[in-house]
Amino acid sequence: MGDRREEILGAAMAVADERGLGALSMRAVAERVGVTPMALYPHVGDKSALLDGMIGKLLGELSAPLDRDAPWDDRLRRSAYAFRALGRDHPWAASLLFSRSAVSAEAVGTIDEIYLALLDAGVPDSEVPRFERMLGTFIVGYAASEAGGRFGAGARNPRGRRDEESGKPLPGHTRVAEWLDVEVDWDAEFDADLDDLRRMIEAAVAARSTRAEHG
Amino acid sequence: MGDRREEILGAAMAVADERGLGALSMRAVAERVGVTPMALYPHVGDKSALLDGMIGKLLGELSAPLDRDAPWDDRLRRSAYAFRALGRDHPWAASLLFSRSAVSAEAVGTIDEIYLALLDAGVPDSEVPRFERMLGTFIVGYAASEAGGRFGAGARNPRGRRDEESGKPLPGHTRVAEWLDVEVDWDAEFDADLDDLRRMIEAAVAARSTRAEHG
DNA sequence: ACCTGAACACCGTTCAAGT
DNA sequence: ACCTGAACACCGTTCAAGT
């Protein structure tokens, strides 16, 4: 039934993996399936729906590692890793994750894991959705930055202390110049960011309980 | 000289603003300028270069509000607002910000403001670039989520306590269910997120100075 | 129910030619 | 130096027709 659909989505993902999102045409997918372009439409809808289907399938395969006995921050970290790995294995997905809110529909299992981790951390119920959105924004953003090239090498350090074109002085760049030329370990940076976010969550919990005591 | 180029980039931005990125074709831009499609190429390069030029121009216009006497967190907040406003006024830009590392080249003034704010906050020089990337990832991600629909309404709360398709239980969703149906004030959420990030920065500074005392 | 083939209205980009 | 016009190799999607 949805068998052919699954085959088509798989073919589309393979095309995107191998040749990029720009080469993903209905015609290319059809050729890979061994069928005429028009034969795709009854199964996956038009191209926009095909893209939705692709990220849906991808997120559905994102297995949430249970292990509910592990500490909340380990579980959170594991979910973050899984997401980033997904963006690394399928760069075309990173940009799509922002535009298709279908995200939530299929990633609902992973989002539930994050809710549970935040609850275990002591985040009040009312704040859990916001923190999930915040962490999700950062994690998806990090994956998209890597995949898309926002963390471009070298481009960050304008040679010298002023912007070449405008001649405007750049005192901030000057002060941290020595740290702009170092090669960045993106795995380590992601870890450091997650550490800071974990501490942020702990601090939010602590602030809340302090307020409760004095209130 | 670059006069015509500027005119073309302006026309391209107008087309994208009015009719979306999907309707941005070389032909549409050319028509708006009152010229043949091929006349664009010497001035802005091919379509990929045109897109680079568009976000370059946009980011160049992002005026960094100086006011260097204001507290560091106010300045940081103002930069964050400016960026989000940009994504709101030009939704097509949000997705492009991840893929084009040209970002940094033109936004270098704003990045310098953020460096200075972080330095004033007491962040050690070596950590400033990482925190800037982290904040930038979140801010651009937030703008992209809004523009692209990742923060989709309603889709977040699977009706009931289980995923309809798989039948898997969703205990996290169940516990926070009442907070998933409330209408979100995205301005307030952005403010709350920035507050938490500010506290995160303060905590990082405090942790560092404590370590220095005991070391 | 599922697929094909021809056709339509678009693309980005090339090339040779015009002034 | 700057632009045009015709052409090429693509797109997504329609429609009527085939089995």
Side-chain angles (χ1 to χ4, degrees), chain B residues 166-194:
Chain B
S166 67
K168 270 187 299 189
L170 296 172
H173 284 74
T174 304
R175 268 203 45 193
V176 301
E178 70 173 301
W179 304 103
L180 293 176
D181 280 328
V182 303
E183 198 134 344
V184 179
D185 178 339
W186 299 109
D187 290 340
E189 170 137 339
F190 191 61
D191 273 335
D193 287 354
L194 290 178

Side-chain angles (χ1 to χ4, degrees), chain B residues 49-185:
Chain B
L50 172 68
L51 293 172
D52 283 338
M54 287 167 69
I55 57 124
K57 184 176 165 68
L58 195 67
L59 290 172
E61 289 168 359
L62 185 132
S63 59
L66 276 291
D67 197 6
R68 198 152 300 164
D69 296 328
W72 69 269
D73 52 328
D74 282 355
R75 279 147 52 208
L76 213 54
R77 189 173 292 266
R78 200 115 30 133
S79 293
Y81 280 169
F83 238 109
R84 185 162 90 104
L86 187 145
R88 182 164 282 184
D89 295 342
H90 310 283
W92 52 267
S95 58
L96 258 39
L97 287 172
F98 282 110
S99 49
R100 320 257 147 194
S101 76
V103 170
S104 12
E106 319 274 354
V108 80
T110 300
I111 290 174
D112 207 71
E113 298 285 334
I114 294 172
Y115 284 168
L116 290 174
L118 290 170
L119 288 165
D120 282 0
V123 175
D125 294 11
S126 65
E127 296 266 51
V128 163
R130 178 172 74 82
F131 274 111
E132 184 279 322
R133 281 190 291 267
M134 187 187 188
L135 293 172
T137 297
F138 168 74
I139 293 164
V140 174
Y142 197 93
S145 296
E146 287 185 296
R150 195 178 79 90
F151 293 157
R156 291 253 156 196
N157 192 8
R159 220 166 305 291
R161 54 211 61 186
R162 338 188 128 252
D163 186 352
E164 289 126 23
E165 291 177 45
S166 67
K168 270 187 299 189
L170 296 172
H173 284 74
T174 304
R175 268 203 45 193
V176 301
E178 70 173 301
W179 304 103
L180 293 176
D181 280 328
V182 303
E183 198 134 344
V184 179
D185 178 339

Side-chain angles (χ1 to χ4, degrees), chain A residues 136-158:
Chain A
T137 297
F138 169 73
I139 293 165
V140 174
Y142 198 92
S145 296
E146 287 185 297
R150 196 178 79 92
F151 294 157
R156 292 252 158 195
N157 192 7

Side-chain angles (χ1 to χ4, degrees), chain A residues 31-42:
Chain A
E31 190 183 25
R32 191 170 196 113
V33 178
V35 92
T36 264
M38 283 318 300
L40 305 177
Y41 284 77

